[in-house]
Amino acid sequence: MLGARCLLRAVRFCSSAPCPRHKPSAKLSVRDALRAQNASEERVKVQTFPIRYKERHPLEYLRQYPHLRCRTNILGSILRIRSEATAAIHSFFKDSGFVHIHTPIITSNDCEGAGELFQLEAAGKIKVPEENFFNVPAFLTVSGQLHLEVMSGAFTQVFTFGPTFRAENSQSRRHLAEFYMIEAEISFVDSLQDLMQVMEKLFKATTMMVLSNCPEDVNLCYKFIAPGQKDRLELMLKNNFLIISYTEAVEILKRASQNFTFTPEWGIDLQTEHEKYLVKHCGNIPVFVINYPLALKPFYMRDNEDGPQHTVAAVDLLVPGIGELFGGGLREERYHFLEERLARSRLTEVYQWYLDLRRFGSVPHGGFGMGFERYLQCILGVDNIKDVIPFPRFPHSCLL
């Protein structure tokens, strides 16, 4: 504001100063005006804008200025695409008959069971159980899935789209402490095939709408960030997504000539390097991996009852360059199966309400979640997840 006032004062001075007719008119540049002295005889400091005009700064450099980087062409394009993708996702679910549910951000549930939660405490309060604001430990949500399951018993098809939080100490290009998730739950679904059809349709319909409605922004990203991404995306859109089992995936990895940091073994979770290899092995076409070992998935996944291997009806969608994009599966609707799982995990008391959903009437159902920022990375070819969200939150960084 001081600089603007000085500029206005200098311009007024020049416009009001007498100027002989026989002399050329005075010229005043903006820089000269800013250098003019103010009323206190103090020279105004000229500060250099950190983002230079017509210079293509690396995205890593722009990340230092979350309050300014949105003014650049590339971040402007990414954020417009983000807005369009948000609208496209809502449009898909509305057209498909889903009801939008606002699931809570503050929760007492650990949906993923991993314990990577941010616990909430009122500022200035002593951390004593009797003095908890909610009378129970409260956390920032890691998923809206369990709340959606409640609603799916009333509305059949429901979805939510909102922020989720993970206290995972990771500096990778795929993780954030705060990110957005699209989650859906569908009643009367009794096969993974039905669930995977919805997941594939969501990906393709949303992407086609984004490409149709903001071609200039998309092309700008392809030109300056990811040359060749357009062809890679077209390959994904024109082909049916592939399906392999977890067991088949492990066998493929074991036969691979590539040396992995983490040795693939049955019963061990797939790492990012494994996921990316599997997609390349499948010709860079997205691939569903189904039927994971029971021990790798949360208590609510449906038991396949398949003998010694003992798998559950879970599914992950792996995409080129990213790895896992979707995760989901059928939910265990059988009361006694769920009761035994909770008892073995000593969670019966905590999830008594979840058992009630089965005790008082349930149907076969399933659902999935998609990380919104990873989706944007996938369609745009952006390497780092921190560049597709306006204000990234990650370990040791919470700017603004």
Side-chain angles (χ1 to χ4, degrees), residues 29 34 37 48 65 67 69 78 92 95 106-107 144 153 188 199 204 220 235 250 261 305-306 319 359 395:
S29 70
L34 288 174
Q37 292 181 332
T48 303
Y65 306 100
H67 57 306
R69 68 174 186 164
I78 291 174
F92 171 85
D95 293 344
I106 299 174
T107 180
F188 305 103
M199 295 160 74
K204 290 183 175 180
L220 184 74
L235 183 66
V250 172
T261 303
E305 299 179 87
D306 52 356
V319 296
R359 179 185 290 113

Side-chain angles (χ1 to χ4, degrees), residues 124-372:
K125 295 291 184 181
I126 302 174
K127 295 181 181 180
V128 178
E130 295 80 30
E131 298 186 10
N132 282 338
F133 186 87
F134 296 102
N135 292 332
V136 295
F139 311 93
L140 293 178
T141 183
V142 297
S143 171
Q145 182 218 310
L146 298 184
H147 297 96
L148 281 183
E149 280 199 64
V150 173
M151 294 296 168
S152 69
F155 298 108
T156 307
Q157 296 185 119
V158 293
F159 83 101
T160 190
F161 189 163
T164 52
F165 308 85
R166 303 281 171 89
E168 184 176 358
N169 189 18
S170 173
Q171 292 284 354
S172 83
R173 299 171 183 270
R174 302 167 63 248
H175 293 91
L176 289 168
E178 178 186 7
F179 56 98
Y180 280 70
M181 283 279 286
I182 300 97
E183 298 178 274
E185 288 292 321
I186 309 169
S187 295
F188 305 103
V189 169
D190 55 11
S191 75
L192 284 178
Q193 187 64 44
D194 294 337
L195 204 58
M196 290 185 289
Q197 285 180 1
V198 179
M199 295 160 74
E200 184 170 348
K201 286 178 181 178
L202 171 61
F203 179 91
K204 290 183 175 180
T206 300
T207 304
M208 293 299 292
M209 187 173 292
V210 169
L211 295 176
S212 173
N213 290 351
C214 34
E216 291 182 359
D217 290 320
V218 171
N219 288 332
L220 184 74
C221 291
Y222 292 164
K223 180 178 179 180
F224 295 113
I225 295 179
Q229 181 64 20
K230 181 179 180 180
D231 295 335
R232 291 189 288 269
L233 188 60
E234 286 180 354
L235 183 66
M236 289 187 255
L237 294 175
K238 73 180 184 181
N239 285 284
N240 294 326
F241 294 176
L242 305 177
I243 303 172
I244 61 174
S245 70
Y246 168 86
T247 301
E248 291 171 327
V250 172
E251 291 303 314
I252 291 171
L253 293 169
K254 284 184 174 181
R255 294 195 301 266
S257 57
Q258 178 176 328
N259 293 322
F260 298 108
T261 303
F262 298 91
T263 303
E265 293 290 344
W266 201 96
I268 304 298
D269 209 356
L270 299 179
Q271 301 297 318
T272 302
E273 59 178 345
H274 302 149
E275 295 169 348
K276 290 182 176 180
Y277 178 86
L278 289 170
V279 177
K280 287 183 180 179
H281 177 82
C282 294
N284 285 318
I285 296 171
V287 56
F288 290 107
V289 180
I290 64 173
N291 297 331
Y292 281 77
L294 178 144
L296 296 181
K297 294 298 179 180
F299 65 86
Y300 45 74
M301 291 295 186
R302 196 177 199 277
D303 194 332
N304 282 330
E305 299 179 87
D306 52 356
Q309 285 191 326
H310 209 176
T311 64
V312 290
V315 56
D316 288 340
L317 176 63
L318 313 182
V319 296
I322 302 297
E324 181 189 347
L325 177 60
F326 282 81
L330 302 181
R331 314 310 184 194
E332 185 56 85
E333 86 284 1
R334 297 165 294 184
Y335 179 86
H336 295 296
F337 278 82
L338 185 60
E339 185 181 40
E340 290 177 6
R341 291 279 295 277
L342 288 171
R344 286 199 299 269
S345 304
R346 299 181 181 180
L347 294 172
T348 302
E349 184 178 352
V350 176
Y351 287 102
Q352 189 61 52
W353 66 269
Y354 193 71
L355 278 170
D356 284 348
L357 298 179
R358 278 67 175 170
R359 179 185 290 113
F360 300 121
S362 183
V363 297
H365 61 285
F368 60 83
M370 178 181 79
F372 186 47

